[in-house]
Amino acid sequence: MILSWKVAIVPENQQSYPNSTIKTLMTRRSIRRFSPEPIEDDTIVWLERAAQQAPTSRYNFGWSAIRITDPDLAQKLADIGKQKYIAQAPLLYVFLVDLHRNSRISQGKGVSPAEATAFHEQYSYNESHNDAVLALHAMETAAESLGLGTVVLGSLLNDMPRLVELLHLPELTFPVLGLAIGKPAQQPALKPRMDRSFQFFDNAYPEDGDNTNLAEALTDFDEKVHQYYDLRNAKKPVDRFTDQVAQKATDPLPAQRRFSTLMRQQGFTA
Ligand SMILES: Cc1cc2nc3c(=O)[nH]c(=O)nc-3n(C[C@H](O)[C@H](O)[C@H](O)COP(=O)(O)O)c2cc1C
């Protein structure tokens, strides 16, 4: 109770934080330009250990990550993502759903592939996907806490079949997200967040029935977003959030981003 009272009175531009972990989380923003300096080996070990220490559903360790050290491969990933900073990041990982390892472990214990149906279930996929995201986030936060910059890379999923091919992903694995890490070579402003009342509810999801037009209710937030400058295109103000949402609502999803075919190819029930 005391904590929520404190949080409630903290102004938005608060410069002092209850501790360094919260400061790290509250000052995080995506970094898309990195200094070419390599990341020290010791640091990499801590980042990987932090990812491994993340919670893992049913103690499954249902995820793996591939570190990309080959510059040609990094360039191919940047081509898929259409983002040149992917190839410029000194440290680059692709996090995966990985039930292949547990399938092999169970085979080593005498369970035949035909018997091991559980690995192929959508639930198992989802569980491992959650694990992978939590591990990535732990690595991201660890990196931020050390003064490094990061950006999560969903753009690698622009062409999932190609990613599977380039990374030689076997059955029961699936790409989740990339994470680029490096010393920041830019200082972007914090990107605005909507008021917490739009994202946090008490006990149940609020009824729609009060005729609130959510797009109108978000006018103040829209203005903040419009005033934010994205360093990727600093000359153009960012579109209002509600306009972005409406525009994305009708964006067609390219075939290479559709899950079901590739899910089946990788051995999951789709
Ligand atoms: C799942 C996920 C995928 C993302 N993919 C990309 C990406 O491919 N490229 C990129 O530049 N940023 C990517 N981002 C970063 C978001 O654009 C960014 O977090 C969001 O605009 C908020 O900005 P901030 O991180 O600076 O607060 C991704 C973020 C998430 C959570």
Side-chain angles (χ1 to χ4, degrees):
M1 282 311 277
I2 291 173
L3 182 64
S4 53
W5 172 78
K6 264 191 180 167
V7 168
I9 60 159
V10 170
E12 239 180 47
N13 61 355
Q14 174 75 23
Q15 291 302 305
S16 69
Y17 302 94
N19 64 30
S20 60
T21 305
I22 292 181
K23 182 174 181 194
T24 298
L25 291 164
M26 296 305 297
T27 54
R28 189 214 61 82
R29 68 269 196 266
S30 297
I31 295 294
R32 299 185 175 87
R33 186 175 296 161
F34 301 103
S35 122
E37 277 173 83
I39 306 299
E40 295 77 12
D41 287 347
D42 281 3
T43 301
I44 293 173
V45 169
W46 279 116
L47 298 182
E48 294 184 355
R49 286 178 67 180
Q52 282 196 283
Q53 197 58 35
T56 168
S57 181
R58 293 192 293 155
Y59 201 47
N60 273 344
F61 300 91
W63 66 276
S64 294
I66 298 183
R67 182 176 157 200
I68 311 295
T69 57
D70 172 359
D72 290 339
L73 180 56
Q75 186 53 55
K76 287 182 181 132
L77 300 192
D79 293 342
I80 292 177
K82 300 188 182 69
Q83 291 168 334
K84 60 179 191 293
Y85 41 89
I86 297 175
Q88 294 161 351
L91 195 54
L92 178 63
Y93 288 89
V94 181
F95 281 76
L96 310 171
V97 160
D98 185 1
L99 290 162
H100 186 75
R101 178 174 45 245
N102 286 359
S103 162
R104 291 188 57 202
I105 292 169
S106 64
Q107 280 176 47
K109 297 297 282 183
V111 179
S112 73
E115 285 172 311
T117 52
F119 297 130
H120 302 268
E121 296 285 348
Q122 266 190 15
Y123 181 84
S124 303
Y125 170 89
N126 192 51
E127 194 178 29
S128 301
H129 188 274
N130 293 341
D131 276 10
V133 173
L134 290 169
L136 176 147
H137 188 241
M139 179 180 277
E140 183 200 9
T141 303
E144 297 279 341
S145 77
L146 294 167
L148 297 170
T150 67
V151 61
V152 178
L153 299 167
S155 59
L156 296 183
L157 307 178
N158 279 344
D159 191 344
M160 291 191 285
R162 175 86 175 126
L163 194 57
V164 166
E165 180 191 318
L166 284 173
L167 302 181
H168 303 176
L169 299 188
E171 192 185 48
L172 294 175
T173 61
F174 207 88
V176 175
L177 287 168
L179 182 65
I181 303 173
K183 295 184 181 149
Q186 60 178 187
Q187 289 300 328
L190 289 189
K191 201 164 175 179
R193 295 305 196 248
M194 63 180 68
D195 188 272
R196 61 178 284 285
S197 61
F198 288 100
Q199 290 191 285
F200 282 92
F201 314 127
D202 288 336
N203 301 316
Y205 200 91
E207 299 274 338
D208 286 347
D210 59 3
N211 290 329
T212 305
N213 179 329
L214 266 189
E216 280 172 14
L218 283 161
T219 303
D220 289 352
F221 176 58
D222 264 350
E223 285 316 308
K224 284 188 199 156
V225 173
H226 195 50
Q227 279 159 26
Y228 165 85
Y229 279 84
D230 189 327
L231 295 184
R232 284 175 289 184
N233 191 357
K235 290 190 191 123
K236 183 182 167 293
V238 172
D239 288 339
R240 288 172 176 80
F241 172 74
T242 56
D243 290 334
Q244 292 183 36
V245 171
Q247 197 253 317
K248 281 181 260 189
T250 55
D251 263 358
L253 199 65
Q256 298 90 329
R257 274 194 180 242
R258 292 212 179 100
F259 271 64
S260 47
T261 315
L262 194 66
M263 289 266 289
R264 279 193 289 275
Q265 180 193 307
Q266 293 300 101
F268 295 102
T269 312

